[in-house]
Amino acid sequence: MPRGYFITFEGLDGSGKTTQIRRLAATLEAEGHKVVTMRNPGGTALGDRIRSVLLDSKSEDTVGQIAPAAEMALMFADRAQSIAEIILPALAAGNIILCDRYTDSSEAYQGGGRQLGSQRVLAMHAAACDNLQPDLTILLLPSLESSLKRARRRNQRQVAQQGTDENRFERESDDFYRRIYEKYKEIASREPHRVVTIDRNGGIEEIEKDIHDIVAKRISAAKPTLKASIVEA
Ligand code: TYD
């Protein structure tokens, strides 16, 4: 059975992952690959509902304060569903999956940010995800200061323009983000083959080229025959 290639993108809020995923998907598609793009949380019917509970700061009015362990479990419920509905079928069909956030986000945000610790998160990853690991993780980790500035600007713009309020995480303190940043660095040094860190504060095009170079090299080493068109999940 053909097996595709599973790539995740990680970083702080505002690190530019979403733009880079869109660009990489377009380039890979133009090169003839089959690409599936997706995000955690969300992307399945169940995941979209979990996402709105988790991210909408107004959800605290309806569900009360979400306990850190409940937050972690909801992230993994979403992830388990996306593995079953999207990731495993796409891998079986030989596609390249570009996933915006995965278990490293849970380890960084819930393990580091919320201080649950890596062990609890990794135990949940084993239980809920059968330890499914990406083949490659691109970690966009420019300086903490520039990421925070961008995330806050973006959130203010979103609230002003669309009235949407996906900012429960973005109301957190700088210490929360500092712990996430440090946890990401720890993950990258623990798994240097899987996790490639891009830490320069370059422009979008330069970073896009860095990412494409890394991905092209890895894919051609692993899967010389991956081909075809884009599918939006
Ligand atoms: P998202 O809109 O994907 O943020 P961004 O575009 O900045 O990546 O929102 C996801 C938010 O949820 C983000 O603040 C990180 C957080 N998160 C966790 O805390 N744990 C997780 O396991 C995942 C997947 C996301």
Side-chain angles (χ1 to χ4, degrees), residues 11-14 17-18 39-41 51 55 71 75 79 100-103 105-106 109-110 154 166 169-170 177:
L12 289 173
D13 307 61
K17 292 178 284 87
T18 311
R39 68 176 177 181
N40 272 179
R51 182 182 176 89
L55 301 189
E71 179 179 83
M75 291 293 181
R79 189 162 300 126
D100 194 340
R101 300 193 180 279
Y102 189 68
T103 293
S105 283
S106 298
Y109 282 73
Q110 281 66 54
R154 182 182 62 168
E166 277 203 347
F169 284 91
E170 290 171 6
Y177 286 104

Side-chain angles (χ1 to χ4, degrees), residues 58 154-166:
K58 291 196 188 78
R154 182 182 62 168
N155 196 55
Q156 281 160 3
R157 207 167 49 229
Q158 240 177 29
V159 173
Q161 284 171 0
Q162 306 154 12
T164 55
D165 189 17
E166 277 203 347

